[in-house]
Every structure is written in structure tokens, then in C-alpha cells.
Amino acid sequence: MKQSCVLINTARGGLIDEAALTEALNGGKIAGACLDTLSEEPMRADNPLANAKNCLITPHIAWMPKETRQRLIGTAAANLKAFIEGAPKNVIDK
């Protein structure tokens, strides 16, 4: 991996070895990390990433932009309308 790379994780905290990432950041092996999820949330005081160089940690809200919420509300409304009209969508029990 290039030293100029930035690791971005918005999926699952358990995907990242936090101790190894801390070592890579503090040792200059990678340029930075942007994390929206950690192995334990809320973040524990002893999480090694808390003081890692070039590490940005957000409070697990990457899904929350206005456009995403509008799309979710639109999908829910369309599903409810289809159900009321007798043609349910996204049925998962079949």
C-alpha cells in the first residue's frame, strides 16, 4: 500500500485491526484514516485510534445526509402505498 493512501471505513468497525491501523498511521506507513465506525461504539477511552495521527473519526452518521434520508422516506412511502393498493413491494417472507 502506498504511503499516500487514506483508509476510509463506513462499513463495519470489525473490518479494521485498530491497533495495526494506529501503528501504520503513527509510523507514517499510510497518510490517514477516515472512520465512521469502530469495533466498539461508543468509542472506549483506551481505543488506540483516539490519539492516532491523521485519523478522523465521525459518530457513525455517514448515512445521514439529507438526500439519503429523503430517499429512505420516499422508498418507505412507496412501499406503504403499494401495500395499501394490494401490490406489496420488497416482500421478504416468501
Side-chain angles (χ1 to χ4, degrees), residues 39-60:
S39 60
E40 289 189 49
E41 293 177 350
M43 182 173 69
R44 293 173 41 139
D46 63 348
N47 187 306
L49 291 167
N51 296 307
K53 293 180 182 177
N54 301 323
C55 185
L56 175 65
I57 302 171
T58 59
H60 206 161

Side-chain angles (χ1 to χ4, degrees), residues 12-50:
R12 297 284 177 259
L15 296 175
I16 304 296
D17 179 334
E18 293 171 347
L21 177 57
T22 301
E23 185 178 321
L25 288 165
N26 291 339
K29 293 181 182 173
I30 66 171
C34 301
L35 310 171
D36 189 51
T37 182
L38 299 168
S39 60
E40 289 189 49
E41 293 177 350
M43 182 173 69
R44 293 173 41 139
D46 63 348
N47 187 306
L49 291 167

